[in-house]
PDB file of all heavy atoms in Angstrom:
ATOM      1  N   LYS A 161     379.494 128.269 185.212  1.00 82.00           N
ATOM      2  CA  LYS A 161     378.297 127.643 185.704  1.00 82.00           C
ATOM      3  C   LYS A 161     378.114 126.295 184.931  1.00 82.00           C
ATOM      4  O   LYS A 161     378.476 126.169 183.651  1.00 82.00           O
ATOM      5  CB  LYS A 161     377.124 128.491 185.276  1.00 82.00           C
ATOM      6  CG  LYS A 161     375.776 128.036 185.559  1.00 82.00           C
ATOM      7  CD  LYS A 161     374.544 128.874 185.099  1.00 82.00           C
ATOM      8  CE  LYS A 161     373.240 128.187 185.324  1.00 82.00           C
ATOM      9  NZ  LYS A 161     372.209 129.026 184.686  1.00 82.00           N
ATOM     10  N   VAL A 163     376.265 124.119 182.859  1.00 96.00           N
ATOM     11  CA  VAL A 163     375.007 124.204 182.121  1.00 96.00           C
ATOM     12  C   VAL A 163     374.769 122.850 181.373  1.00 96.00           C
ATOM     13  O   VAL A 163     373.701 122.752 180.745  1.00 96.00           O
ATOM     14  CB  VAL A 163     375.176 125.304 180.996  1.00 96.00           C
ATOM     15  CG1 VAL A 163     375.403 126.650 181.741  1.00 96.00           C
ATOM     16  CG2 VAL A 163     376.278 124.875 180.059  1.00 96.00           C
ATOM     17  N   LEU A 172     369.409 113.203 188.865  1.00 98.00           N
ATOM     18  CA  LEU A 172     368.048 113.119 188.875  1.00 98.00           C
ATOM     19  C   LEU A 172     367.491 113.316 190.298  1.00 98.00           C
ATOM     20  O   LEU A 172     368.183 113.058 191.290  1.00 98.00           O
ATOM     21  CB  LEU A 172     367.597 111.785 188.337  1.00 98.00           C
ATOM     22  CG  LEU A 172     368.108 111.329 186.965  1.00 98.00           C
ATOM     23  CD1 LEU A 172     367.685 109.820 186.796  1.00 98.00           C
ATOM     24  CD2 LEU A 172     367.500 112.277 185.928  1.00 98.00           C
ATOM     25  N   ASP A 182     360.400  98.723 177.360  1.00 96.00           N
ATOM     26  CA  ASP A 182     360.102  97.224 177.313  1.00 96.00           C
ATOM     27  C   ASP A 182     360.869  96.449 178.387  1.00 96.00           C
ATOM     28  O   ASP A 182     361.458  95.377 178.147  1.00 96.00           O
ATOM     29  CB  ASP A 182     360.511  96.697 175.930  1.00 96.00           C
ATOM     30  CG  ASP A 182     359.627  97.377 174.844  1.00 96.00           C
ATOM     31  OD1 ASP A 182     358.482  97.800 175.144  1.00 96.00           O
ATOM     32  OD2 ASP A 182     360.096  97.409 173.679  1.00 96.00           O
ATOM     33  N   GLN A 209     363.098 126.205 182.534  1.00 97.00           N
ATOM     34  CA  GLN A 209     363.522 125.805 183.860  1.00 97.00           C
ATOM     35  C   GLN A 209     363.576 124.307 183.893  1.00 97.00           C
ATOM     36  O   GLN A 209     363.059 123.633 183.150  1.00 97.00           O
ATOM     37  CB  GLN A 209     362.604 126.391 184.855  1.00 97.00           C
ATOM     38  CG  GLN A 209     361.162 126.159 184.772  1.00 97.00           C
ATOM     39  CD  GLN A 209     360.646 124.764 185.128  1.00 97.00           C
ATOM     40  OE1 GLN A 209     361.085 124.347 186.197  1.00 97.00           O
ATOM     41  NE2 GLN A 209     359.703 124.101 184.419  1.00 97.00           N
ATOM     42  N   LEU A 350     419.637  92.319 155.813  1.00 86.00           N
ATOM     43  CA  LEU A 350     418.528  92.851 156.536  1.00 86.00           C
ATOM     44  C   LEU A 350     417.917  91.777 157.561  1.00 86.00           C
ATOM     45  O   LEU A 350     417.485  92.190 158.623  1.00 86.00           O
ATOM     46  CB  LEU A 350     417.416  93.152 155.499  1.00 86.00           C
ATOM     47  CG  LEU A 350     417.380  94.482 154.784  1.00 86.00           C
ATOM     48  CD1 LEU A 350     416.393  94.564 153.757  1.00 86.00           C
ATOM     49  CD2 LEU A 350     417.523  95.515 155.778  1.00 86.00           C
ATOM     50  N   LEU A 383     413.453 103.464 180.696  1.00 96.00           N
ATOM     51  CA  LEU A 383     413.481 102.377 179.785  1.00 96.00           C
ATOM     52  C   LEU A 383     412.771 102.578 178.530  1.00 96.00           C
ATOM     53  O   LEU A 383     413.253 102.158 177.440  1.00 96.00           O
ATOM     54  CB  LEU A 383     412.808 101.080 180.558  1.00 96.00           C
ATOM     55  CG  LEU A 383     413.522 100.576 181.634  1.00 96.00           C
ATOM     56  CD1 LEU A 383     412.730  99.679 182.547  1.00 96.00           C
ATOM     57  CD2 LEU A 383     414.888  99.838 181.333  1.00 96.00           C
ATOM     58  N   CYS A 405     413.317  90.787 140.518  1.00 58.00           N
ATOM     59  CA  CYS A 405     413.141  91.836 141.651  1.00 58.00           C
ATOM     60  C   CYS A 405     414.486  92.274 142.251  1.00 58.00           C
ATOM     61  O   CYS A 405     415.284  91.394 142.546  1.00 58.00           O
ATOM     62  CB  CYS A 405     412.270  91.252 142.686  1.00 58.00           C
ATOM     63  SG  CYS A 405     410.465  91.175 142.176  1.00 58.00           S
ATOM     64  N   ARG A 444     388.309 112.698 184.914  1.00 92.00           N
ATOM     65  CA  ARG A 444     388.161 112.547 186.396  1.00 92.00           C
ATOM     66  C   ARG A 444     389.005 113.582 187.049  1.00 92.00           C
ATOM     67  O   ARG A 444     388.525 114.152 188.166  1.00 92.00           O
ATOM     68  CB  ARG A 444     388.397 111.168 186.706  1.00 92.00           C
ATOM     69  CG  ARG A 444     387.462 110.105 186.350  1.00 92.00           C
ATOM     70  CD  ARG A 444     387.630 108.734 187.050  1.00 92.00           C
ATOM     71  NE  ARG A 444     388.966 108.237 186.887  1.00 92.00           N
ATOM     72  CZ  ARG A 444     389.356 107.257 185.944  1.00 92.00           C
ATOM     73  NH1 ARG A 444     388.480 106.898 185.094  1.00 92.00           N
ATOM     74  NH2 ARG A 444     390.562 106.906 185.792  1.00 92.00           N
ATOM     75  N   LEU A 449     397.280 113.725 184.853  1.00 96.00           N
ATOM     76  CA  LEU A 449     398.090 113.463 183.671  1.00 96.00           C
ATOM     77  C   LEU A 449     399.477 114.081 183.685  1.00 96.00           C
ATOM     78  O   LEU A 449     399.366 115.244 184.128  1.00 96.00           O
ATOM     79  CB  LEU A 449     397.218 113.844 182.372  1.00 96.00           C
ATOM     80  CG  LEU A 449     396.225 112.888 181.819  1.00 96.00           C
ATOM     81  CD1 LEU A 449     395.758 113.480 180.493  1.00 96.00           C
ATOM     82  CD2 LEU A 449     396.630 111.551 181.690  1.00 96.00           C
ATOM     83  N   LEU A 521     355.986 120.301 172.580  1.00 98.00           N
ATOM     84  CA  LEU A 521     357.220 120.958 173.207  1.00 98.00           C
ATOM     85  C   LEU A 521     356.421 122.168 173.934  1.00 98.00           C
ATOM     86  O   LEU A 521     356.976 122.533 175.071  1.00 98.00           O
ATOM     87  CB  LEU A 521     358.088 121.535 172.112  1.00 98.00           C
ATOM     88  CG  LEU A 521     359.222 122.310 172.478  1.00 98.00           C
ATOM     89  CD1 LEU A 521     360.024 121.573 173.469  1.00 98.00           C
ATOM     90  CD2 LEU A 521     359.945 122.796 171.241  1.00 98.00           C
TER      91      LEU A 521
END
Side-chain angles (χ1 to χ4, degrees):
K161 178 185 177 185
V163 299
L172 304 172
D182 298 334
Q209 47 83 36
L350 280 178
L383 291 168
C405 284
R444 291 194 300 268
L449 279 187
L521 179 59

